[in-house]
Amino acid sequence: MRKSAMEINRETRDLFLRMVGDFALDRKSVYPDCSGELEDLLYLAHIHSLEPVVYYMLREQRKQLMEQKPELFRHMQRAYHSAVYVSVTQEASRAEIEETFKRAGVKLVFFKGAQLRELYPVPELRTMGDMDCLIRREDRPKAHQLMLQLGYECQVDAEPVWMYNRNGIVIEMHTLLAAKDIGNGVDYEFFFSDAMEHVMKKNGKLCLGKEYHLCYLIYHIAKHLCSTGAGVRMIADIAATLRFYSDTMDWEGLKCLLEASYLHETALAIYGLCHKWFGVEPPERYSGSELVLKDLEAYIVGGGVFGFETHDLGDVYRRNAFRGKAGNSGDRYRLKMMKDYFFPPGAYLVKYFPLAEKRRWLLPVAWVCRCWAGLFRRKDHSVATIRSMTRGDAELSYREVLMLKEIGL
């Protein structure tokens, strides 16, 4: 049976994090012979979508790895070449979309990975499953027609994110950057609703201003931490941003954004990981509990890209029940958990029946649609979620709630 990421010895985990940091910060480094621990290194790299980075950082050892671990080496080599091919194809698609929208007079801004890749020494190795872009809501009909003209198929057409696919190149086209709430009571949809006012041009491309984008990235990590988890790559993105803009970032302006969005404590914890893992000098030092930082490290490293190695939706419902002050044992929190699952808020239900968004009296119809989907279209997923809710590690979920609370979430 495959051991989990946190069961891999500390030295191998540290070596993996060192490689990621050296890549993100564009540092040259010499590593010990990795042939004996290559399988564990590649497992960590795989669950965090960083296999091409490990292959690149071990380029000085390729000959001996090929001789001693030929199958693992070829697997790593295929992942590297595949990542480069996909990245080049994605960038060509981005350029085509940007040019098409520019000619049509539709403002379009790529962000997240598409903007971050330029901060890395080898942009092609900052992999992306999809590319995120932002448009104005009033431009949605015209943008949709332009994507269809380019040969993309619309696979999701529910606001605020429509998803398009053409030969495996996936574009997520947003009219809003953020969700209303991630559990801390802040309306992030409203906070980031002025994103188009923070757009600038860099190297001929439209992008979000660096302070605004970094604040958004902290929010994005926070959102995933409050769900099933965030991966090492997201923390590396922050480290790469801190390095690249060390002399030009308006640090006070960034701090004001983080405080206004109630993400300052979260940012300090993420800075703490950047310093601990990668040795990057943060704009502000983390001064919280080292035990909390250790728990956060285990949560991120063990969980993989989005935490799915160790967590699922059952964990989310269980943590939400604990947040509701239902205690961490007995029937009270279980009742709260089941109530949240079977009777979710209206903002969630409207995804199943969009007409209910403006006609709240139609929410019962949305609830029926959701029940139908759960019973028939997603029966296996529903059963797995309920099983996870009732059989998962409640004590671990409670500790995670306390840990997230300590970092402002």
Side-chain angles (χ1 to χ4, degrees):
M1 185 177 178
R2 187 65 169 100
K3 57 187 172 184
S4 70
M6 295 310 292
E7 290 173 331
I8 292 172
N9 70 68
R10 178 82 230 191
E11 291 74 19
T12 302
R13 297 204 311 271
D14 286 346
L15 179 59
F16 167 68
L17 293 172
R18 179 184 161 197
M19 288 181 181
V20 176
D22 287 344
F23 176 71
L25 303 175
D26 197 16
R27 294 186 301 226
K28 306 299 180 186
S29 192
V30 176
Y31 306 108
D33 181 2
C34 294
S35 54
E37 55 199 329
L38 188 60
E39 184 174 357
D40 286 343
L41 270 176
L42 287 187
Y43 171 68
L44 288 168
H46 172 70
I47 66 172
H48 288 281
S49 290
L50 289 165
E51 286 173 294
V53 169
V54 171
Y55 177 80
Y56 177 77
M57 299 309 289
L58 289 177
R59 57 193 181 279
E60 301 297 330
Q61 297 186 27
R62 288 175 190 172
K63 184 175 180 181
Q64 66 197 65
L65 291 177
M66 180 60 186
E67 292 172 353
Q68 297 179 35
K69 300 284 184 177
E71 289 187 17
L72 290 176
F73 177 83
R74 282 193 287 269
H75 169 81
M76 190 165 49
Q77 189 177 50
R78 285 193 297 271
Y80 172 82
H81 289 301
S82 175
V84 172
Y85 171 77
V86 170
S87 181
V88 170
T89 307
Q90 286 176 326
E91 191 60 15
S93 299
R94 171 187 175 173
E96 179 188 34
I97 293 169
E98 285 179 324
E99 180 60 29
T100 300
F101 276 59
K102 183 179 178 181
R103 287 199 307 267
V106 178
K107 192 173 184 178
L108 171 117
V109 185
F110 279 91
F111 63 101
K112 279 170 56 178
Q115 180 169 336
L116 287 163
R117 69 192 301 278
E118 305 301 330
L119 310 185
Y120 284 90
V122 185
E124 292 80 7
L125 301 188
R126 200 312 185 168
T127 56
M128 300 176 284
D130 53 54
M131 290 191 288
D132 294 270
C133 59
L134 177 69
I135 60 170
R136 295 189 181 96
R137 187 164 190 173
E138 58 267 29
D139 288 332
R140 174 68 80 192
K142 191 171 183 180
H144 177 65
Q145 290 304 315
L146 291 172
M147 293 299 286
L148 296 181
Q149 289 169 21
L150 288 171
Y152 285 84
E153 176 190 356
C154 183
Q155 297 182 321
V156 176
D157 59 356
E159 286 294 343
V161 186
W162 288 26
M163 188 172 74
Y164 298 87
N165 188 322
R166 186 183 71 182
N167 300 325
I169 299 299
V170 179
I171 308 294
E172 288 196 355
M173 192 166 287
H174 301 244
T175 53
L176 290 170
L177 286 190
K180 284 184 179 294
D181 179 27
I182 61 173
N184 61 356
V186 180
D187 186 348
Y188 288 107
E189 178 182 308
F190 175 77
F191 185 84
F192 289 106
S193 62
D194 64 345
M196 280 297 188
E197 297 174 22
H198 295 267
V199 171
M200 57 173 288
K201 184 172 282 190
K202 181 182 177 184
N203 299 327
K205 297 177 180 177
L206 293 180
C207 62
L208 294 176
K210 51 186 179 292
E211 293 83 12
Y212 192 87
H213 194 227
L214 181 50
C215 179
Y216 173 77
L217 294 175
I218 298 292
Y219 154 79
H220 187 247
I221 293 173
K223 181 186 75 171
H224 282 287
L225 288 176
C226 290
S227 179
T228 49
V232 168
R233 189 176 63 185
M234 292 187 190
I235 310 302
D237 286 340
I238 303 302
T241 303
L242 296 179
R243 175 196 72 87
F244 196 88
Y245 294 116
S246 60
D247 297 327
T248 60
M249 184 79 73
D250 177 3
W251 298 112
E252 279 303 313
L254 172 64
K255 184 177 180 180
C256 288
L257 281 172
L258 291 169
E259 288 178 339
S261 59
Y262 293 86
L263 291 169
H264 187 239
E265 288 183 68
T266 311
L268 291 180
I270 293 169
Y271 293 161
L273 288 182
C274 288
H275 180 71
K276 181 180 180 181
W277 291 352
F278 310 135
V280 66
E281 202 58 41
E284 298 178 77
R285 289 283 182 159
Y286 170 75
S287 58
S289 164
E290 285 301 316
L291 181 60
V292 168
L293 207 61
K294 184 178 179 181
D295 287 345
L296 181 60
E297 175 181 358
Y299 183 44
I300 290 175
V301 175
V305 176
F306 296 117
F308 294 136
E309 296 297 314
T310 53
H311 292 74
D312 56 25
L313 279 177
D315 297 285
V316 179
Y317 282 105
R318 198 160 40 248
R319 287 205 304 260
N320 285 342
F322 294 144
R323 287 179 185 277
K325 299 180 181 179
N328 64 335
S329 61
D331 294 330
R332 191 176 173 189
Y333 97 88
R334 292 188 180 90
L335 287 172
K336 174 71 166 62
M337 187 167 55
M338 290 302 174
K339 175 181 174 294
D340 289 346
Y341 180 74
F342 287 107
F343 301 97
Y348 178 80
L349 288 174
V350 296
K351 294 193 300 184
Y352 293 89
F353 194 69
L355 286 175
E357 185 171 8
K358 293 183 178 180
R359 301 172 179 84
R360 307 301 280 184
W361 56 274
L362 287 174
L363 281 177
V365 179
W367 184 81
V368 170
C369 290
R370 191 240 186 185
C371 290
W372 183 89
L375 286 171
F376 298 102
R377 287 198 294 116
R378 305 177 69 198
K379 180 181 177 181
D380 291 343
H381 179 270
S382 301
V383 170
T385 299
I386 293 172
R387 182 178 291 121
S388 172
M389 288 163 57
T390 55
R391 299 182 186 177
D393 189 341
E395 189 59 38
L396 174 62
S397 294
Y398 188 66
R399 291 200 308 271
E400 288 172 350
V401 167
L402 298 179
M403 178 267 291
L404 291 172
K405 184 178 180 181
E406 286 293 318
I407 64 172
L409 299 174

